[in-house]
């Protein structure tokens, strides 16, 4: 493979000499991707694969099956041979991601979460609520809605203000209607519509984002 050199099974396998017991069926793990409780993930992994017993070489070799994304990339870069016990691997895993992932979630971090460009409003809402459930101090429904609104951009925020006091489920429904309105052009998106309008102030023109209400340029 060009500059990569030989790419045999031994080159590609993390632990080529480790074998699972006969008849073992690989569990379906919850995947970790730099988000969530690190220790809880390790406990969940050990619980799922407990049928192999306390064989550290097996537990280390197949830990990657419980990882995804950035966490899996991290594991693939490691020299597995340096881990003689499961504890060695656990410590490296927790030490690295405790610093990288910002495991501790609080209300402030929830209000700063942003919707990804490829996410629908519902997908963002469900991802946000999943993170909210990880905050140490439980969040009530009313406060949850308020924090969720603080995480919205100008368009959604302005249209969802009336949902204060409603259930989170109802906020998601109304948010989806706002999303449909933006896509159909019935609602003007503040983040999208404020690019090309020129407003004349004192006879001098300057570029400015469109008026969020959709009014034409005004001369003052």
């Amino acid at each position: 493979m060009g500059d990569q050199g030989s790419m045999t099974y031994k080159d590609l396998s993390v632990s080529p000499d480790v074998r699972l017991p006969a008849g073992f069926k690989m569990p379906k793990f919850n995947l970790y991707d730099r988000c969530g409780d690190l220790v809880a993930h390790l406990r969940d992994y050990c619980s799922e694969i407990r049928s192999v017993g306390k064989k550290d070489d097996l537990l280390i070799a197949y830990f990657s099956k419980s990882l995804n994304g950035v966490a899996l990339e991290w594991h693939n870069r490691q020299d597995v041979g340096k881990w003689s016990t499961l504890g060695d691997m656990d410590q490296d895993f927790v030490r690295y991601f405790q610093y990288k992932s910002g495991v501790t979630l609080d209300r402030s971090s929830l209000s700063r979460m942003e919707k990804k460009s490829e996410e629908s409003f519902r997908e963002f809402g469900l991802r946000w609520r999943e993170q909210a459930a990880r905050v140490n101090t439980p969040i009530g429904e009313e406060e949850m809605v308020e924090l969720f609104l603080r995480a919205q951009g100008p368009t959604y925020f302005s249209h969802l203000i009336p949902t204060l006091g409603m259930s989170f489920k109802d906020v998601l429904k109304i948010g989806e209607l706002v999303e449909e309105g933006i896509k159909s052009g019935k609602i003007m998106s503040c983040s999208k519509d404020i690019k090309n309008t020129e407003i004349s102030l004192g006879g001098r023109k300057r570029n400015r984002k469109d008026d969020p209400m959709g009014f034409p340029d005004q001369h003052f």
Side-chain angles (χ1 to χ4, degrees), residues 98-198:
Q98 194 167 35
Y99 170 73
K100 292 288 184 180
S101 60
V103 173
T104 304
L105 288 171
D106 55 23
R107 286 158 170 77
S108 179
S109 61
L110 288 174
S111 65
R112 293 194 302 270
M113 281 183 65
E114 295 183 357
K115 179 179 173 295
K116 298 177 182 178
S117 59
E118 70 275 11
E119 280 184 315
S120 67
F121 182 83
R122 173 167 289 274
E123 288 171 338
F124 172 57
L126 295 178
R127 179 170 66 87
W128 187 94
R129 182 153 191 175
E130 181 181 344
Q131 297 304 309
R134 293 189 170 117
V135 175
N136 288 333
T137 307
I139 302 175
E141 187 84 0
E142 185 174 344
E143 183 185 7
M144 184 177 294
V145 169
E146 181 178 341
L147 290 171
F148 183 56
L149 262 59
R150 292 180 184 274
Q152 305 304 315
T155 305
Y156 283 99
F157 183 81
S158 62
H159 285 82
L160 291 176
I161 280 293
T163 65
L164 284 171
M166 296 185 182
S167 68
F168 191 85
K169 183 178 179 181
D170 288 338
V171 174
L172 285 184
K173 289 181 179 179
I174 296 174
E176 286 183 295
L177 291 175
V178 175
E179 183 176 51
E180 291 177 8
I182 293 173
K183 290 179 178 178
S184 66
K186 294 179 180 178
I187 294 177
M188 297 191 72
S189 172
C190 295
S191 61
K192 183 179 179 182
D193 300 328
I194 48 181
K195 292 182 179 179
N196 301 316
T197 302
E198 290 185 340

Side-chain angles (χ1 to χ4, degrees), residues 199-205 219-220:
I199 296 182
S200 177
L201 295 175
R204 183 178 60 183
K205 289 186 176 181
H219 294 269
F220 301 93

Side-chain angles (χ1 to χ4, degrees), residues 1-57:
M1 296 184 64
D3 295 336
Q4 300 299 322
S6 174
M7 300 295 277
T8 64
Y9 166 76
K10 189 171 183 178
D11 296 322
L12 295 170
S13 178
V14 175
S15 302
D17 299 323
V18 176
R19 296 288 183 273
L20 286 170
F24 175 79
K25 185 177 180 180
M26 187 67 68
K28 185 176 181 181
F29 299 110
N30 293 317
L31 301 181
Y32 181 87
D33 181 9
R34 203 175 64 173
C35 182
D37 190 316
L38 294 161
V39 176
H41 177 75
L42 290 167
R43 287 174 177 166
D44 181 64
Y45 169 72
C46 289
S47 176
E48 290 293 339
I49 203 170
R50 62 185 178 276
S51 59
V52 302
K54 297 182 179 180
K55 300 177 181 179
D56 280 10
D57 58 342

